[in-house]
Amino acid sequence: MVEAEIPADHPRHDSLVTRHRVEAGVEKGITSRQGLIAQGRGEAFDYLLGERTIPSADAAARAAAAHLLLADHPVVAVNGNAAALVPAELVDLADAVGADLEVNLFNRTDERIRAIADHLREHGAREVKGMAADARIPNLAHERAKVDADGIADADVVLVPLEDGDRAAALADLGKVELVIDLNPLSRSAQVADVPIVDNILRAVPRITAHARDLADADRAELERLVAEFDPDATLAAAERAIRGGDLDYSSG
Ligand code: PTJ
């Protein structure tokens, strides 16, 4: 079955779309093969969450939007999974909040960086950072630490979808506000985030953009209130409760 043939009402719709896109990403040289494994882990958590955006994840998406709108220099980091899954949606989000897009890879190769930058341009991106790699995140091994001096190194707020735990921790140590999309509330990335969004990137990115558009005319005080009232620990606890709650019907397979 090709992606277009997946019925919208299929009970495992998001999971099937995600599999197709990650597979296509590997074929196109965008996604690493490890990305397939990462996807499998994410999918297991999405299954347990009922493949839906839980209310705490929606509130986190709104707080993330407020952070991005308040930022002096917001950057949206893009890895091989994110690029395969939501390229147009990432471009749209960056436009909505005035953020830079920066390709930033765990398994870094120049070839893959270029392929991802081209892929984002095919989906409407004008400028894509990540090739300069002229700065380093301290306390990380060489290749994984590379970032752009005028991109992530200079950012005050960074959105990192599906980040590896070490790098998420290293970025948090730099004092940047870190917004993380990760379906696993127990992952270190989610645990160190200022705003953990426990949701499928497929649903989370358009939702952050929708909140950003909704908040576009909000005054600074309102955005600051949203940020101040957000509680990352309560958000992670709510996601864990949803996973353990057992109020879902898993009979669809
Ligand atoms: O493209 P690269 O080289 O930068 O590599 C990207 C991956 C994702 C392979 C790399 O960062 C990695 O190995 O990540 P981890 O340590 O496997 O962590 C990925 C996290 O993302 C896990 O906690 C998964 O639960 C989560 N995840 C996977 N798919 C999704 C997801 N979260 C949200 N939406 C998804 N579709």
mmCIF file of all heavy atoms in Angstrom, residues 5-24:
data_model
loop_
_atom_site.group_PDB
_atom_site.id
_atom_site.type_symbol
_atom_site.label_atom_id
_atom_site.label_comp_id
_atom_site.label_asym_id
_atom_site.label_seq_id
_atom_site.Cartn_x
_atom_site.Cartn_y
_atom_site.Cartn_z
ATOM 1 N N GLU A 5 -2.893 5.617 -0.235
ATOM 2 C CA GLU A 5 -3.979 4.620 -0.161
ATOM 3 C C GLU A 5 -4.368 4.263 1.267
ATOM 4 O O GLU A 5 -5.293 3.487 1.488
ATOM 5 C CB GLU A 5 -3.533 3.329 -0.877
ATOM 6 C CG GLU A 5 -3.436 3.493 -2.380
ATOM 7 C CD GLU A 5 -2.722 2.307 -3.036
ATOM 8 O OE1 GLU A 5 -2.373 1.338 -2.335
ATOM 9 O OE2 GLU A 5 -2.524 2.380 -4.251
ATOM 10 N N ILE A 6 -3.660 4.819 2.258
ATOM 11 C CA ILE A 6 -4.004 4.486 3.650
ATOM 12 C C ILE A 6 -5.307 5.207 4.007
ATOM 13 O O ILE A 6 -5.369 6.440 3.955
ATOM 14 C CB ILE A 6 -2.880 4.930 4.625
ATOM 15 C CG1 ILE A 6 -1.569 4.231 4.287
ATOM 16 C CG2 ILE A 6 -3.283 4.628 6.067
ATOM 17 C CD1 ILE A 6 -0.359 4.805 5.016
ATOM 18 N N PRO A 7 -6.372 4.446 4.331
ATOM 19 C CA PRO A 7 -7.638 5.120 4.625
ATOM 20 C C PRO A 7 -7.514 6.019 5.853
ATOM 21 O O PRO A 7 -6.901 5.645 6.845
ATOM 22 C CB PRO A 7 -8.602 3.961 4.906
ATOM 23 C CG PRO A 7 -7.875 2.708 4.556
ATOM 24 C CD PRO A 7 -6.424 2.999 4.495
ATOM 25 N N ALA A 8 -8.101 7.228 5.767
ATOM 26 C CA ALA A 8 -7.988 8.197 6.863
ATOM 27 C C ALA A 8 -8.565 7.642 8.162
ATOM 28 O O ALA A 8 -8.142 8.028 9.248
ATOM 29 C CB ALA A 8 -8.697 9.487 6.474
ATOM 30 N N ASP A 9 -9.539 6.717 8.044
ATOM 31 C CA ASP A 9 -10.167 6.198 9.262
ATOM 32 C C ASP A 9 -9.542 4.871 9.716
ATOM 33 O O ASP A 9 -10.079 4.194 10.583
ATOM 34 C CB ASP A 9 -11.671 6.035 9.047
ATOM 35 C CG ASP A 9 -11.993 5.046 7.922
ATOM 36 O OD1 ASP A 9 -11.049 4.640 7.208
ATOM 37 O OD2 ASP A 9 -13.180 4.699 7.775
ATOM 38 N N HIS A 10 -8.412 4.497 9.119
ATOM 39 C CA HIS A 10 -7.750 3.264 9.564
ATOM 40 C C HIS A 10 -7.316 3.453 11.026
ATOM 41 O O HIS A 10 -6.755 4.483 11.380
ATOM 42 C CB HIS A 10 -6.524 2.980 8.690
ATOM 43 C CG HIS A 10 -5.944 1.613 8.937
ATOM 44 N ND1 HIS A 10 -5.269 1.299 10.095
ATOM 45 C CD2 HIS A 10 -5.948 0.492 8.183
ATOM 46 C CE1 HIS A 10 -4.879 0.036 10.050
ATOM 47 N NE2 HIS A 10 -5.285 -0.471 8.892
ATOM 48 N N PRO A 11 -7.609 2.459 11.888
ATOM 49 C CA PRO A 11 -7.295 2.644 13.308
ATOM 50 C C PRO A 11 -5.801 2.860 13.579
ATOM 51 O O PRO A 11 -5.439 3.448 14.598
ATOM 52 C CB PRO A 11 -7.796 1.350 13.960
ATOM 53 C CG PRO A 11 -8.035 0.390 12.851
ATOM 54 C CD PRO A 11 -8.298 1.197 11.620
ATOM 55 N N ARG A 12 -4.933 2.402 12.708
ATOM 56 C CA ARG A 12 -3.483 2.615 12.902
ATOM 57 C C ARG A 12 -2.958 3.605 11.856
ATOM 58 O O ARG A 12 -1.831 3.493 11.407
ATOM 59 C CB ARG A 12 -2.728 1.289 12.769
ATOM 60 C CG ARG A 12 -3.095 0.226 13.751
ATOM 61 C CD ARG A 12 -2.095 0.131 14.911
ATOM 62 N NE ARG A 12 -2.299 1.158 15.915
ATOM 63 C CZ ARG A 12 -3.211 1.081 16.880
ATOM 64 N NH1 ARG A 12 -3.999 0.057 16.972
ATOM 65 N NH2 ARG A 12 -3.327 2.037 17.758
ATOM 66 N N HIS A 13 -3.788 4.576 11.481
ATOM 67 C CA HIS A 13 -3.454 5.497 10.384
ATOM 68 C C HIS A 13 -2.097 6.188 10.573
ATOM 69 O O HIS A 13 -1.220 6.117 9.720
ATOM 70 C CB HIS A 13 -4.565 6.547 10.234
ATOM 71 C CG HIS A 13 -4.256 7.590 9.207
ATOM 72 N ND1 HIS A 13 -3.615 8.770 9.521
ATOM 73 C CD2 HIS A 13 -4.442 7.615 7.873
ATOM 74 C CE1 HIS A 13 -3.440 9.479 8.420
ATOM 75 N NE2 HIS A 13 -3.933 8.802 7.404
ATOM 76 N N ASP A 14 -1.917 6.850 11.734
ATOM 77 C CA ASP A 14 -0.687 7.639 11.937
ATOM 78 C C ASP A 14 0.536 6.741 11.905
ATOM 79 O O ASP A 14 1.589 7.105 11.387
ATOM 80 C CB ASP A 14 -0.739 8.376 13.276
ATOM 81 C CG ASP A 14 -1.649 9.590 13.203
ATOM 82 O OD1 ASP A 14 -2.315 9.771 12.167
ATOM 83 O OD2 ASP A 14 -1.695 10.348 14.188
ATOM 84 N N SER A 15 0.373 5.546 12.459
ATOM 85 C CA SER A 15 1.499 4.611 12.496
ATOM 86 C C SER A 15 1.888 4.180 11.079
ATOM 87 O O SER A 15 3.070 4.140 10.729
ATOM 88 C CB SER A 15 1.080 3.413 13.357
ATOM 89 O OG SER A 15 1.717 2.265 12.934
ATOM 90 N N LEU A 16 0.891 3.913 10.247
ATOM 91 C CA LEU A 16 1.188 3.473 8.871
ATOM 92 C C LEU A 16 1.808 4.602 8.059
ATOM 93 O O LEU A 16 2.777 4.400 7.326
ATOM 94 C CB LEU A 16 -0.089 2.955 8.189
ATOM 95 C CG LEU A 16 -0.674 1.676 8.806
ATOM 96 C CD1 LEU A 16 -1.963 1.280 8.103
ATOM 97 C CD2 LEU A 16 0.316 0.529 8.749
ATOM 98 N N VAL A 17 1.281 5.822 8.216
ATOM 99 C CA VAL A 17 1.849 6.971 7.492
ATOM 100 C C VAL A 17 3.300 7.167 7.913
ATOM 101 O O VAL A 17 4.205 7.363 7.087
ATOM 102 C CB VAL A 17 1.035 8.262 7.798
ATOM 103 C CG1 VAL A 17 1.773 9.495 7.313
ATOM 104 C CG2 VAL A 17 -0.346 8.183 7.162
ATOM 105 N N THR A 18 3.529 7.090 9.232
ATOM 106 C CA THR A 18 4.870 7.321 9.754
ATOM 107 C C THR A 18 5.842 6.296 9.199
ATOM 108 O O THR A 18 6.943 6.629 8.753
ATOM 109 C CB THR A 18 4.820 7.271 11.296
ATOM 110 O OG1 THR A 18 3.787 8.139 11.742
ATOM 111 C CG2 THR A 18 6.117 7.725 11.906
ATOM 112 N N ARG A 19 5.449 5.025 9.207
ATOM 113 C CA ARG A 19 6.327 3.970 8.672
ATOM 114 C C ARG A 19 6.690 4.233 7.218
ATOM 115 O O ARG A 19 7.837 4.104 6.818
ATOM 116 C CB ARG A 19 5.637 2.610 8.760
ATOM 117 C CG ARG A 19 5.587 2.073 10.151
ATOM 118 C CD ARG A 19 4.971 0.700 10.140
ATOM 119 N NE ARG A 19 4.692 0.265 11.499
ATOM 120 C CZ ARG A 19 4.286 -0.957 11.796
ATOM 121 N NH1 ARG A 19 4.112 -1.843 10.849
ATOM 122 N NH2 ARG A 19 4.054 -1.294 13.046
ATOM 123 N N HIS A 20 5.672 4.591 6.437
ATOM 124 C CA HIS A 20 5.917 4.853 5.008
ATOM 125 C C HIS A 20 6.921 5.974 4.821
ATOM 126 O O HIS A 20 7.829 5.886 4.012
ATOM 127 C CB HIS A 20 4.607 5.261 4.318
ATOM 128 C CG HIS A 20 3.844 4.090 3.795
ATOM 129 N ND1 HIS A 20 4.183 3.429 2.644
ATOM 130 C CD2 HIS A 20 2.758 3.460 4.282
ATOM 131 C CE1 HIS A 20 3.339 2.447 2.433
ATOM 132 N NE2 HIS A 20 2.464 2.434 3.417
ATOM 133 N N ARG A 21 6.733 7.049 5.585
ATOM 134 C CA ARG A 21 7.601 8.218 5.384
ATOM 135 C C ARG A 21 9.034 7.940 5.834
ATOM 136 O O ARG A 21 9.980 8.379 5.192
ATOM 137 C CB ARG A 21 7.031 9.431 6.134
ATOM 138 C CG ARG A 21 5.765 9.915 5.481
ATOM 139 C CD ARG A 21 5.334 11.261 6.002
ATOM 140 N NE ARG A 21 3.993 11.544 5.503
ATOM 141 C CZ ARG A 21 3.225 12.529 5.909
ATOM 142 N NH1 ARG A 21 3.658 13.358 6.839
ATOM 143 N NH2 ARG A 21 2.029 12.705 5.405
ATOM 144 N N VAL A 22 9.179 7.229 6.941
ATOM 145 C CA VAL A 22 10.549 6.952 7.415
ATOM 146 C C VAL A 22 11.248 6.014 6.428
ATOM 147 O O VAL A 22 12.420 6.206 6.097
ATOM 148 C CB VAL A 22 10.519 6.344 8.838
ATOM 149 C CG1 VAL A 22 11.909 5.903 9.257
ATOM 150 C CG2 VAL A 22 10.015 7.368 9.833
ATOM 151 N N GLU A 23 10.521 5.042 5.922
ATOM 152 C CA GLU A 23 11.088 4.115 4.937
ATOM 153 C C GLU A 23 11.531 4.897 3.681
ATOM 154 O O GLU A 23 12.640 4.715 3.175
ATOM 155 C CB GLU A 23 10.003 3.099 4.566
ATOM 156 C CG GLU A 23 10.524 1.841 3.940
ATOM 157 C CD GLU A 23 9.359 0.893 3.604
ATOM 158 O OE1 GLU A 23 8.169 1.253 3.790
ATOM 159 O OE2 GLU A 23 9.665 -0.205 3.140
ATOM 160 N N ALA A 24 10.647 5.795 3.222
ATOM 161 C CA ALA A 24 10.993 6.610 2.043
ATOM 162 C C ALA A 24 12.192 7.499 2.346
ATOM 163 O O ALA A 24 13.042 7.736 1.477
ATOM 164 C CB ALA A 24 9.792 7.458 1.618
#
